[in-house]
Amino acid sequence: MRYNVLLKLTAFLFAGVLLNSCEESEWGNGGLELDTDVQIKSFTVDGVEGEINQDENSISVYLPKDTEVNALSPQVEIAEGATITPSAGETTDFSSSEQSPVVFRVENGNLFSEYNVTVQSINAKITSFTIGERQGVIDHEARTINLTVPFGTDLTQLEPDLEYTDGAVISPAAGESLDFSSTVIYTLTFMEETFEYSVTVEEGEEVIPDLVIYNGEDVVPSWWTVGSAGDIASKFENPQVDGINATSYCASIWRNPQDDPWTGGGLGGLDVDPSKYVRFSLMVLKEVAGDVQMEIQGEGAGNQYLKVNYTAENVGKWQQLEFTLPEGHGLTKITTILVAPQIDDTKNDPDFFGHRMYWDQLVALPAGE
């Protein structure tokens, strides 16, 4: 269990002086208490007891499937005399806690502790469904999977490869040969709850789904800083929740006035097929109009530098930008995508003191659309 002393070092040293100079002072009477209890003893939501890990200062609560978690009132037990923020019973939004846990802070005397709390409804998903080279299009809302196979394929004997929630049990089993001439139902069993996906396989041209690379919610790889920009965050509160981008979180980076033109943020470790994906959609919000540069790196060819203008009329608002690889780009695999929030537009502007840029919803789009 990790505890934190509220007093800074300077205050602690000052207390030492008081101890030596004023025997009857508050400090001399034991004002600095270092043995108070700042543990959360129990954490209950809708009658479900959370699992508390005192070593990691974390709490996990799993509610029955389809439970709404955006307005819940936890019941919390702490030591007598301690206080907790948010307060016990206070209505709290846990809808994004799986990616960004809600922090509960317990204070008692001179000590405090903080717990990262995740509350989610039990859920299990099929995350990938492929037959041969073809990939199924998964709709998690409707719990449907649609896949096309080459013309002439025997639909009565197909062996799909599946990926699904770790710890779940699936039936029929992954890799089992099945007759897909009619709809097949797959059932996932997880934490005593069941989830069904309807799978439809047809002969036809390949349907390539959009590929979400980053969305700030459930697909959140870590952006890393490129150049001298600072304060990059992969999960930053959306500063402008609206109809264009209604999600709760986004990525953010601070751009200094004299940063190099290519300064920004990057995502590495990607495996994107440029024969299928040549267009990239990105939500951008900036405080200054100007070009946004996307640099795409990979195998088979040199780096590709793509620029799209973030317009003055959209300053302070989300704008969806689309970047397209040029014909004959030569890439055989995309491994890295870099985004630079401002190129040369403000380089010599004496009134420009830097600005923060936000981006979200980086999606690779099929080449044929």
Side-chain angles (χ1 to χ4, degrees), residues 163-194:
E163 295 178 7
Y164 50 92
T165 300
D166 188 32
V169 176
I170 193 166
S171 178
E176 182 178 335
S177 180
L178 298 170
D179 181 356
F180 283 93
S181 58
S182 59
T183 299
V184 174
I185 304 297
Y186 278 83
T187 302
L188 290 160
T189 303
F190 182 62
M191 298 182 71
E192 299 183 354
E193 300 277 12
T194 59

Side-chain angles (χ1 to χ4, degrees), residues 43 73-78 83-92 104:
F43 191 98
S73 302
Q75 301 302 310
V76 187
E77 181 186 350
I78 55 178
T83 60
I84 188 166
T85 307
S87 302
E90 179 179 337
T91 300
T92 304
F104 279 73

Side-chain angles (χ1 to χ4, degrees), residues 157-339:
Q157 296 185 25
L158 296 176
E159 296 183 9
D161 290 320
L162 293 85
E163 295 178 7
Y164 50 92
T165 300
D166 188 32
V169 176
I170 193 166
S171 178
E176 182 178 335
S177 180
L178 298 170
D179 181 356
F180 283 93
S181 58
S182 59
T183 299
V184 174
I185 304 297
Y186 278 83
T187 302
L188 290 160
T189 303
F190 182 62
M191 298 182 71
E192 299 183 354
E193 300 277 12
T194 59
F195 307 85
E196 291 187 346
Y197 279 80
S198 299
V199 181
T200 301
V201 179
E202 299 176 321
E203 298 177 62
E205 298 293 334
E206 182 177 12
V207 178
I208 302 174
D210 294 349
L211 177 63
V212 178
I213 300 173
Y214 172 91
N215 65 11
E217 307 302 315
D218 57 355
V219 183
V220 194
S222 295
W223 293 81
W224 38 269
T225 303
V226 179
S228 53
D231 194 21
I232 190 166
S234 288
K235 283 191 72 67
F236 199 94
E237 287 193 12
N238 183 348
Q240 185 68 39
V241 177
D242 54 27
I244 298 175
N245 184 17
T247 61
S248 299
Y249 296 97
C250 60
S252 168
I253 193 170
W254 176 262
R255 180 66 192 264
N256 299 299
Q258 295 303 315
D259 283 342
D260 292 318
W262 39 263
T263 298
L267 289 177
L270 306 178
D271 185 3
V272 180
D273 184 350
S275 69
K276 296 181 178 180
Y277 299 99
V278 298
R279 300 182 299 122
F280 300 86
S281 175
L282 179 69
M283 292 282 190
V284 173
L285 187 155
K286 298 201 302 105
E287 300 167 1
V288 179
D291 287 337
V292 173
Q293 176 174 284
M294 180 177 289
E295 179 181 340
I296 298 180
Q297 302 177 1
E299 301 175 0
N303 300 344
Q304 306 293 307
Y305 301 94
L306 315 175
K307 293 182 182 180
V308 177
N309 188 253
Y310 177 82
T311 62
E313 63 205 46
N314 282 303
V315 166
K317 299 185 292 186
W318 287 104
Q319 180 180 351
Q320 186 171 5
L321 306 181
E322 185 173 304
F323 303 80
T324 304
L325 284 170
E327 292 186 9
H329 55 76
L331 289 169
T332 57
K333 178 181 176 180
I334 295 170
T335 59
T336 304
I337 294 178
L338 312 176
V339 179

Side-chain angles (χ1 to χ4, degrees), residues 13-163:
L13 294 174
F14 180 64
V17 172
L18 289 177
L19 283 169
N20 291 328
S21 62
C22 186
E23 185 175 343
E24 299 300 324
S25 70
E26 177 185 1
W27 297 107
N29 291 328
L32 186 60
E33 300 179 27
L34 299 178
D35 60 352
T36 55
D37 188 343
V38 289
Q39 282 192 340
I40 291 179
K41 312 295 184 182
S42 70
F43 191 98
T44 306
V45 182
D46 286 356
V48 178
E49 184 79 19
E51 180 180 336
I52 303 176
N53 186 325
Q54 300 290 6
D55 292 328
E56 297 295 330
N57 281 34
S58 65
I59 301 174
S60 300
V61 185
Y62 291 91
L63 300 177
K65 72 175 183 179
D66 300 326
T67 302
E68 295 290 340
V69 297
N70 60 336
L72 298 172
S73 302
Q75 301 302 310
V76 187
E77 181 186 350
I78 55 178
E80 184 178 355
T83 60
I84 188 166
T85 307
S87 302
E90 179 179 337
T91 300
T92 304
D93 183 359
F94 291 96
S95 57
S96 298
S97 66
E98 186 177 359
Q99 293 78 41
S100 184
V102 177
V103 176
F104 279 73
R105 179 184 175 110
V106 182
E107 295 187 26
N108 196 353
N110 306 114
L111 299 181
F112 75 89
S113 64
E114 292 183 337
Y115 287 78
N116 292 319
V117 180
T118 300
V119 179
Q120 55 189 303
S121 58
I122 298 171
N123 193 14
K125 298 179 180 180
I126 295 177
T127 54
S128 175
F129 189 98
T130 58
I131 296 177
E133 299 293 323
R134 298 289 183 91
Q135 181 178 351
V137 178
I138 303 175
D139 183 337
H140 293 297
E141 292 286 333
R143 294 195 180 272
T144 60
I145 302 174
N146 293 284
L147 184 144
T148 60
V149 292
F151 290 105
T153 300
D154 182 2
L155 299 181
T156 65
Q157 296 185 25
L158 296 176
E159 296 183 9
D161 290 320
L162 293 85
E163 295 178 7

